[in-house]
Structure formats: C-alpha cells, structure tokens
Amino acid sequence: MTQSRVPFKGGFRTAGAIIGVVFAAAAQIASAADLRITGIEEGSELYETLAGGSLLVEQTADDADPSPQEVVAAAQADYERILAVLYDNGYFGPVIRITLDGVDAVDIPPVNPPSQIRQAVIAIEPGPRFVFGPTRIAPVAPGTELPEEFATGQTASLGVLKDTVGAGIDGWREQGHAKAELASQELTARHQERTISADLRLDPGPRLRFGPLIVEGNEDVRTQRIIDIAGLPEGQVYSPEELRLARERLRRTGAFNAVALQEAEQIGPGETLPITALVTEAPKRRFGFGGELSSLEGLTLSTYWMHRNLLGGAERLRLEAEVRGIGGNSGGEDYRLSARFDRPATFNEDTNFYALTVIEQLDEVNFFSRQIDIEAGITRIASEQRTYRLGVGLRRAETRDAFGTNRYTLLTLPLGVEFDYRDKELDAKEGYYINATVTPFVAISGADNGVRSYLDARYYKSFGTERPVTFALRGQLGSVYGPDLSVAPADYLFYSGGGGTVRGQPYQSLGVDLGGGQTVGGRSFVGVSAEARVQVTDAIGIVGFADAGYIGAEEFYDGSGEWHSGAGLGLRYATGIGPIRLDLAVPTSGPETGENFQVYIGIGQAF
C-alpha cells in the first residue's frame, strides 16, 4: 500500500509524520487567534470524526485558554491519532499542511514555542475514499461471525480489518485453539479503482487443553483454596469462557483487589496450556455505615464490619447492626443484629455455603415481636445473573398483636431464586430483576404449619439519548398459606404503606381491619409501582411516580381486601455510589390518613 508524501521545509515527510494539528487544535486556539480551515466541510461526518479523535479537542474541553506550549505539544501528539482516524475511514492518500503563524507545526520545538500564536491555517486534502475489492479470510472456524463491513464495496477501514482478524482468531480460540494467530496478510491498493483487496490467512494452531493453574501474588489466602475457587477444569479443552468464569469466581469472593489469568507463552507437555493466576489481596477488614430518612418512619441507621479472609480460604464474616424508626411516628424503634458466614466453593466452584444468625425486635404500629433466626444453607450461582438458594432454619419468636401474645417455634426451609438482568443495581435503566422466595414452615409449637411466599419483579426501559427517560415498573405479590389469620406468625403477615410499598401512605397503614380500631397484617399482598425518570443534566434527574397496594385476609388475592395508593415527585442527584433520592408523595386513595404528604430520602432509586 502506498503512502502519500507531503512537502515540508528541508525535504519530505510521510503523511503519518505531518498530519499533526487538526481542526481540533485550531478550535483550541481559535479564541485567541485567527483561524482558517480549508479542505473539509465543517460539520461533516469526517470533520466530526477527526475532531473526536484529536487530543486537542479533549484539551479544549478541559482548558479554554491553553498556553502556546500546550497547543504545540498537543498538536504534535495528534499526528498518529488523526492519521489512524483517516485510515479507519478509508482515506489512504491524505495531504495535510498546518501552519501556526506561517510556520509548519511539525517544525516548532515544543520546548521553545512562540510566546503567542496569532494565526493558524489548516489545509487538508483527504483524497479519495477507498472501498474493499475482493476480500477473503481463511481458514475460519465453524460458527464464526465476521463483520458485515468486511465485504466488496464497503469502506476500506483498518478498523474493519482488525475486527475481522480478531473475530477469526476468537472463533478458533472458542474451539480450543488458544494459540490461533494471523499467519499472513496481503493488502493490495489499486488507486485508479480506489479499491483495496484483502487476503488474510489464519493459523489456528493445535487444539489445547487446560494445564495446571499456577498462583502468584497471594499472601494470606491459601493457594489450594484459590485453585478450588477458580474451578479451572484442568485437562479439559481450552475455553475463553472458562477463563472468564474463573476470573469472575475469584473476584466475587471480595478477597482480591485484582485478578488476572495469564496464558503461558509456550505450549506445555501433551498439548496443554498452563495458566497463571496473578492476584492482589484486598484488605482483610472493612467497615461501613448508611442512613435513610423518612418524615413518618424517621431515621434508619446501619453499620457493618466484615472480615474477607477469616480462615485463610477467602471465607467472609459480616456483622451488621441496624436501628430503624429513630424519631419516627411508626411505632417504636426496631433493632436488628446479624452475623453471616460465607464460604465460597464449598461443594463445587459455583456453590457456596452460608450460616446466618439474626436477632431482631420489631416495634411496629400494629404488632410487636422479638425473634431469633438460625439458618444454614447453600447458594448456587448458576450465572452472573441467576442465583438459587436452599436452606434450613430454626425460628423462635414472641409476638403481640390484636389477637394477643403468641410464642412459637418454627422449623423453616427457605428457598429462593434471584434473576438480576439490570444494567446497574442502584440506578437501573435497562433490564429486569426478579426475586422470589418460598418458605415452608413446620410448627414445633405455638402455630400451624404453612408456607410463606413473596415475589418482587421489576422492569426498566429507557428512551432517548440527550435527555433520556427511563420507565420503571415494579410488582410485588405475597401470601401466607396454611394457618388461620389468628394463629399465623404475626411477623409473617403483610402490611402496605411507606417507602417500600406505597409512598405517600403512612408506614404499614393498610392491614386487615378487625373493627374497634384493631388492625393486623394480611395473608395476601399485592403491590404495584410505576416511575418515569427524566435525566435533566448529567447529575440531576426528576421522577414522577405512582404506587398502589392491596392487603387481604385471604391466603391468595381474591379482591375481597382493600386497596390504597399514593403518588408524587422526586429529585435525583447522581454520585459515584448511586443517586441521592428525595421523594415527596401524597396519598391518592384509601382509608383516611390524616397526613398531607410524606418525604423519603435515601441512596439509590426507590426500586
């Protein structure tokens, strides 16, 4: 392929060396100098593409008044970047001449620039645009998807050539050929036809199997545990997906700040490929706290302490404490203490063991309870988005509500599934989320046998780019099957109202009315919520929302219960950990509340 030559003082220099300062540089100094740009139509696609590839454009965005030295240095640093942009758009014969006060930009010493730049002239002749002539890449693994742009008549882009080679190599790697590479390339430019023919040859290399995993960089986490957690299938056919999964398993333990899996340069004995795991351990201990404020429910404060490598095998111990209802008007203050132990890769690389103890006191508007839960089980991580839970627990509680005081002991079998296909956990704009739990319980004393179930489903969809709008929907279903309302565990029953269900309605204001001012929770629950989130600026968003909730005495929804609803407006301010949320809501239907509005403050979207 030929390369254009452009005159400069004292000789000639290739386009790659003199493409230097582009309009981005000119734009940078236009505020202080007379600027003329010729050869490219301002506002055209090529103009915008070149400007987007220039370092000077980035500099202009951050510094509106650069020094002459900065202008010259950034211009000279742009040479190869802009040439690459032109080549990527099919322009292989450009002629560019740029002068600053009549001096060629490439001839200005960056360490001794002029004290002031008064005039800049940029003259660009991109030349004709080339397209692909005959194209071929071989051999290609079955099922490989090549870029559609790699075809006769399409723009001859270096980026397309790179993507095509990358797709071909990836196709062979997915078949176990870890050392696949580009063996040769033949590119022929025909200037009269303005075409470039491409003939690419790949060398798949042998089909390899995983060799041993070699661990480096660990200090406190045992080497064998790292091998067990990674779960790299030694002896099986090489797979890039298995490498990615092994990396993800090590990262999700939280025991490492950095994880890298490196393939050996040389093939091992028996056509195996040794892998080296380079890890950097995270600090073993971590402490954090949080808070949330509601005008009715009051202040919630929480804190935790965590050890990430308790026994030397990336085991995690997390201690938490929470106080809710401080200064609120939703009953008394609630307290919760918990301790959770997690051991990754207990039965296999994707199955974790957990043990949990929770001590809790709930002083709610319509009931009071103290309970202790002891639970152990497994968490099966089927994929990054799908998780399943199975446990066995013992629950001892004392409750007091409109039916009186009850003491009970339950043997529980908590089952759960979580599908998380959101793009962001605290500020989702696309995807969906489902969390479902089913807890059969056997009464050892003080209650009847039954099943408690709960479903939380959310969906997100965004439209637009300049001021995007996100529509968010949420549905909740709950049921307590088995025991009559009078003997059902009071803390298993459902209420509606407040930040987690219906904003604008007082906390747990909707239950089953027994008459005489007595209210208890329901055995069935339905909640629906909708939000429209408008991004006004990069940092500020506004939200309109409406919530509704239903509580019934029946085991499953049949419409015999009662609905209430609320609506309002919210303000969001983006931070590095998630948006700060301020919601103002009013009741719109349901029993008379006597309240005008409710205020909710927290971090992250409401759902």
Side-chain angles (χ1 to χ4, degrees):
M1 183 183 301
T2 61
Q3 193 174 54
S4 298
R5 295 170 66 85
V6 187
F8 81 109
K9 183 178 178 181
F12 286 83
R13 192 170 288 187
T14 63
I18 98 161
I19 201 165
V21 180
V22 211
F23 358 78
Q28 170 103 7
I29 59 178
S31 60
D34 179 36
L35 168 65
R36 289 187 297 113
I37 301 174
T38 63
I40 300 289
E41 181 183 355
E42 185 175 356
S44 66
E45 181 180 356
L46 179 58
Y47 185 103
E48 298 297 333
T49 303
L50 284 169
S54 169
L55 289 174
L56 284 167
V57 171
E58 299 178 12
Q59 185 189 63
T60 304
D62 296 332
D63 184 1
D65 187 23
S67 67
Q69 185 176 24
E70 290 172 325
V71 171
V72 173
Q76 294 180 351
D78 263 345
Y79 293 171
E80 293 184 5
R81 291 173 61 94
I82 302 305
L83 181 63
V85 171
L86 288 169
Y87 278 8
D88 200 40
N89 283 269
Y91 297 96
F92 294 95
V95 177
I96 298 106
R97 181 176 174 81
I98 303 173
T99 61
L100 303 176
D101 286 340
V103 180
D104 212 312
V106 296
D107 294 329
I108 301 177
V111 295
N112 187 28
S115 60
Q116 187 177 7
I117 298 176
R118 298 180 179 275
Q119 185 182 63
V121 178
I122 302 177
I124 300 177
E125 296 178 23
R129 198 175 208 178
F130 284 67
V131 298
F132 282 122
T135 59
R136 187 170 77 103
I137 179 171
V140 176
T144 301
E145 294 186 6
L146 299 175
E148 296 180 358
E149 296 83 1
F150 186 66
T152 301
Q154 297 286 337
T155 299
S157 165
L158 287 186
V160 171
L161 288 173
K162 293 177 182 177
D163 292 343
T164 301
V165 172
I169 291 175
D170 289 344
W172 282 114
R173 284 172 58 82
E174 289 171 4
Q175 299 290 328
H177 298 263
K179 295 302 183 182
E181 61 182 359
L182 178 66
S184 66
Q185 59 179 346
E186 186 175 331
L187 305 178
T188 305
R190 293 180 172 85
H191 286 264
Q192 289 185 347
E193 292 85 2
R194 298 176 182 176
T195 63
I196 291 182
S197 301
D199 187 3
L200 309 174
R201 301 292 300 177
L202 299 179
D203 178 11
R207 197 173 192 220
L208 304 179
R209 294 175 292 111
F210 280 116
L213 180 64
I214 303 165
V215 180
E216 296 181 2
N218 57 316
E219 297 178 1
D220 296 323
V221 183
R222 297 190 302 275
T223 297
Q224 187 56 49
R225 283 293 293 151
I226 293 176
I227 294 173
D228 294 341
I229 294 168
L232 206 63
E234 184 177 349
Q236 294 187 18
V237 174
Y238 169 88
S239 166
E241 178 65 10
E242 287 291 346
L243 272 183
R244 188 191 66 81
L245 290 174
R247 244 186 334 261
E248 179 59 29
R249 293 180 189 119
L250 290 170
R251 286 171 178 166
R252 73 185 177 214
T253 65
F256 307 102
N257 275 336
V259 176
L261 297 184
Q262 292 184 351
E263 303 173 11
E265 293 291 335
Q266 302 298 324
I267 297 174
E271 294 191 339
T272 60
L273 184 65
I275 305 294
T276 299
L278 301 174
V279 299
T280 302
E281 294 181 2
K284 291 189 288 293
R285 297 168 184 84
R286 184 176 179 182
F287 170 80
F289 61 92
E292 187 167 338
L293 179 65
S294 168
S295 58
L296 182 66
E297 299 164 42
L299 178 65
T300 297
L301 295 177
S302 61
T303 185
Y304 73 89
W305 177 89
M306 181 172 62
H307 197 299
R308 305 183 187 190
N309 186 33
L310 186 67
L311 303 176
E315 301 89 355
R316 180 185 301 183
L317 176 65
R318 183 182 177 103
L319 307 179
E320 295 187 40
E322 182 180 78
V323 182
R324 301 176 63 93
I326 301 172
N329 190 24
S330 57
E333 295 177 352
D334 302 333
Y335 303 92
R336 187 177 190 272
L337 295 173
S338 68
R340 181 183 176 107
F341 172 82
D342 287 276
R343 184 180 188 271
T346 297
F347 301 102
N348 58 49
E349 62 271 14
D350 289 317
T351 303
N352 301 341
F353 169 81
Y354 73 88
L356 174 68
T357 300
V358 179
I359 301 173
E360 190 170 22
Q361 174 179 296
L362 301 175
D363 189 356
E364 307 292 2
V365 176
N366 298 304
F367 75 94
F368 178 89
S369 73
R370 290 192 183 99
Q371 62 261 354
I372 179 170
D373 284 281
I374 301 174
E375 183 181 317
I378 59 174
T379 300
R380 171 67 178 176
I381 304 171
S383 71
E384 295 176 40
Q385 293 81 27
R386 294 182 291 117
T387 305
Y388 302 90
R389 302 180 300 277
L390 169 64
V392 60
L394 185 66
R395 182 179 182 89
R396 175 66 178 169
E398 177 181 338
T399 64
R400 184 173 66 249
D401 60 8
F403 293 114
T405 300
N406 184 27
R407 298 178 180 85
Y408 65 85
T409 302
L410 304 178
L411 180 65
T412 64
L413 185 68
L415 310 170
V417 59
E418 181 179 79
F419 292 174
D420 192 348
Y421 288 85
R422 297 172 292 183
D423 55 350
K424 294 181 182 179
E425 181 179 355
L426 294 179
D427 190 16
K429 300 187 185 317
E430 297 286 347
Y432 66 91
Y433 171 85
I434 297 174
N435 186 10
T437 59
V438 177
T439 306
F441 55 89
V442 176
I444 298 176
S445 64
D448 290 340
N449 302 335
V451 178
R452 187 184 195 271
S453 58
Y454 173 74
L455 171 68
D456 182 359
R458 311 172 190 183
Y459 177 76
Y460 309 88
K461 184 66 177 178
S462 296
F463 301 89
T465 55
E466 186 171 341
R467 291 187 179 179
V469 178
T470 300
F471 292 100
L473 302 174
R474 182 186 192 186
Q476 301 176 79
L477 292 174
S479 170
V480 176
Y481 173 82
D484 291 335
L485 190 65
S486 59
V487 296
D491 51 335
Y492 272 16
L493 299 176
F494 297 96
Y495 295 87
S496 182
T501 52
V502 179
R503 288 162 288 181
Q505 296 285 352
Y507 178 69
Q508 294 191 355
S509 58
L510 185 63
V512 176
D513 189 356
L514 301 179
Q518 299 293 318
T519 301
V520 296
R523 292 191 294 172
S524 63
F525 162 65
V526 178
V528 292
S529 298
E531 289 192 350
R533 305 169 183 170
V534 181
Q535 197 69 34
V536 179
T537 69
D538 290 342
I540 298 175
I542 58 175
V543 176
F545 59 85
D547 304 330
Y550 168 91
I551 297 293
E554 71 278 12
E555 293 173 326
F556 300 102
Y557 172 83
D558 63 8
S560 62
E562 192 167 10
W563 286 88
H564 68 168
S565 63
L569 294 174
L571 181 67
R572 304 290 186 266
Y573 182 79
T575 69
I577 59 175
I580 297 176
R581 180 180 77 253
L582 171 63
D583 286 339
L584 177 64
V586 297
T588 55
S589 69
E592 183 62 39
T593 66
E595 301 287 342
N596 293 325
F597 63 88
Q598 307 292 338
V599 178
Y600 307 90
I601 301 174
I603 295 179
Q605 298 287 358
F607 61 89

